[in-house]
Every structure is written in structure tokens, then in C-alpha cells.
Amino acid sequence: MYVTNLMAPALIATVIGALLAGALYFGLDRFIAKERGPAVAGASNVVRQMRIEAIDEIRIRRIVADACGEYWEEFFEEIFGYSAKRDMRMLLEQERGGTQLLHRHGQWRDRIVDRIASHVDQIRESQQKRRLRTAEAARLRATGIDPKLAAVQAAAETDQALQLAAAMRVSAREYLTANPARRQALRQMVTAARSGKHARKNVLARLSKLPQLVFSGKVRFAAAIALIVCGLAWMQHNHMFEQVNVSSVSELTQIQELGQELQASLASTDKFEPLPYLPEPLASALASMGTVVAGLALMMTAPCAGMKATICSVLAGACALLGPANLAPFVPAFVPNIAFISPAELLAFAIAVALVALAWWVSE
């Protein structure tokens, strides 16, 4: 912020955002909560009375959902909570044959909550696997096995045990009747776990995970930070953030003329100097405003998961970074620049934004 002279605008934007949030809460949210308070309290008393009468909890929630009509989710969440609302939504959709409900309240939160829950489950599973490996390695070392061999064997046995536990958590009918290959895989896992013989991981299996690691969300986020920093440094190197003090009308006229010259020269990036401390091919490739846009596109799609979302994310960054130079021959010469953005850059940035939206749409 200090290098790019954006400290003051950032502070102003923060203060304005805090003021708008406070105005929204005190001017709208509290008023709505006050208006709904008696209805929510009355419904809560009715639910409490039904619980005292030992009515089944699922039946109580179903009664409330049916009584609220099509827009039942918001009121239902006020009484029973977010998790209970999602469980009731799933139950109603199953009763309708899998048909999705038309009116959903706060649906944008579901993907965020699911992503956080999945991340927490992965951390918990990793911690459990690490504890099991440590305990199994200690048991094997106590029997006189070499520590390195004990660590390798403990890791293999732990992986087999966790895979077997995951298979057993799934419904037996769903897992075993799907196809014979699954039954054979389960038999092989049980046989391997009982015999203690574990095949080493195939080299091809390890190499197949390499694209997932290279294009993972963490790597895309790190690349986004690097692109944004390089783009801002390039803009600072070309004096795009300099502040100009106007003290007379003649200076204002000169500044306007310089601005017109700068706007006319933006169609050709040759008049801008690349970063001197980067290698020449890389410096020339990053010498454009598309570098910052590409970084923002990768940063916005970093939480997206799945192969389709990853492809859209990479294409969005590549389009923002390389699109203006490749799309320039297809843009008519009579199309003027918009502010400091050329038509080719505007078209490339629009395609990048569309790919970002598509990445979120297809994210798993």
C-alpha cells in the first residue's frame, strides 16, 4: 500500500465500508429483528410446549415447515438453526423425488459452510492418520523391527485400515452391489490387511497427482499474489501512481495534454518500460495491466475445487495476461479506448471475468 500510494484510499474505503455496515445493521437489521421478535417468540413457545408433550422432534420441525408455506426457510432457521434447516430441506427434497426447492434462503452460505466443513474433516482425518501411524510404528519398533522399516510398514497398514474403515462406513448394499470391481477391491484390501503384505505405490499413481498439486488452490493463490505484486511494481515503475499538484490553469492544461498523449499511447505497450530486475522474456510478458487482472482472477478462483473449475481458473488468468496482445488484431481500429484500457484489453478482461464466474459455477 505504501509503495503504490494506496494507503489513503484503502483507509477511506475501510471507513466507508464500516459506516455502511453499521448503517445497515442499526437501520435495517435491528428493525427487522424487532418486528419479527413477537412472532418468533410465540412460535418458540409453541415448539417448547410440543416438546414437553413428548412429540417427536422431526414431526415438530415438519409441522413448522409446512405451516410457513413456500418461504419457510428463514423463519425455520430463526427457531431451529441453520443445520436443522438444511436437514429439513434435504428431507423435503427427498420426499419430492430429488426435486430442488424453488425458494431457498441464504443459499450462498451453503457452499462456504460445506467447503469449511470439508476442510475441517480433512484436517481431522490427517491428524487421526498421523496418530495411528505413530502408534503403529511404536508397536512395530517394540517387536524389534528396524525404525525406518517400521515407519514404512506403519504408514502402509494405516492407509489400508483407513480405506477399509471408509468402505465400511458406506452402505454395504450401495458399496457391494454397484459393480463386481468394488467387491474385488474390498476383498483385496481385507486380504492385504490380514496378510501384512502391502504393495508399494505405483509411480504412475504418484505422477497422476502431480497436476492436482501444481494447479491446486494454494498454488493458484501464491501465483495470484506474485502476479499482483509484479503488476503493481510495473505500474509504479512507469509512474502510474504519481500524484500531481495543480497550481495554475497552464499546468492543468499541460496535464490534460499529457493525459491525452498517455491515453493515445496505451494502445502500444512498447512505450512502457518492463521491470529491470526480471529476466527479459518474463519482464516483457508481465509489462501490462493484464498482470494485475490475471492475479485477481486467480485469487478469486483459488477456493474453487475440481478439474473443471481449475481449467476455468487457469484459462481466466491466461486470457487476462496474454489475451490483449493476441486479440488486438481482431479489434477494429476505429474502436476508441475506454479511459486507460484498450479495446483488446477490455475484451480480454471481460472473457476472464466470464471464466471466473464459470469456475465458481462448476466448482465442486
Side-chain angles (χ1 to χ4, degrees), residues 249-304:
V249 178
S250 60
E251 293 182 0
L252 178 60
T253 304
Q254 295 176 359
I255 291 172
Q256 292 177 350
E257 293 177 355
L258 290 175
Q260 293 176 358
E261 294 178 0
L262 176 62
Q263 186 174 1
S265 65
L266 281 173
S268 176
T269 58
D270 296 336
K271 297 186 179 182
F272 293 103
E273 297 180 359
L275 292 175
Y277 41 81
L278 291 178
E280 178 54 33
L282 182 61
S284 300
L286 299 180
S288 66
M289 295 180 61
T291 306
V292 179
V293 179
L296 292 176
L298 292 177
M299 180 177 293
M300 293 176 63
T301 55
C304 299

Side-chain angles (χ1 to χ4, degrees), residues 140-263:
L140 293 174
R141 287 196 303 268
T143 60
I145 300 179
D146 182 72
K148 294 183 178 180
L149 182 59
V152 174
Q153 188 173 351
E157 291 182 359
T158 302
D159 293 340
Q160 292 288 341
L162 291 177
Q163 290 178 8
L164 181 61
M168 295 178 66
R169 281 196 297 266
V170 183
S171 173
R173 183 176 182 181
E174 178 184 355
Y175 189 83
L176 296 177
T177 61
N179 51 51
R182 291 186 175 182
R183 293 197 297 271
Q184 184 65 23
L186 182 58
R187 292 194 188 96
Q188 292 177 357
M189 286 193 298
V190 173
T191 304
R194 289 176 178 175
S195 62
K197 297 179 181 179
H198 309 284
R200 294 184 177 180
K201 292 184 177 180
N202 191 2
V203 178
L204 296 177
R206 294 181 178 180
L207 293 177
S208 63
K209 296 182 179 180
L210 185 60
Q212 299 179 2
L213 178 62
V214 173
F215 298 105
S216 62
K218 295 180 181 179
V219 176
R220 296 202 305 269
F221 185 80
I225 295 296
L227 288 174
I228 292 174
V229 170
C230 292
L232 294 177
W234 172 79
M235 297 172 73
Q236 177 69 18
H237 179 69
N238 287 275
H239 310 288
M240 293 187 179
F241 296 113
E242 289 187 352
Q243 298 180 355
V244 181
N245 296 322
V246 181
S247 59
S248 63
V249 178
S250 60
E251 293 182 0
L252 178 60
T253 304
Q254 295 176 359
I255 291 172
Q256 292 177 350
E257 293 177 355
L258 290 175
Q260 293 176 358
E261 294 178 0
L262 176 62
Q263 186 174 1

Side-chain angles (χ1 to χ4, degrees), residues 309-330:
T310 301
I311 293 174
C312 293
S313 175
V314 175
L315 289 178
C319 183
L321 185 61
L322 306 176
N326 296 322
L327 294 176
F330 301 97

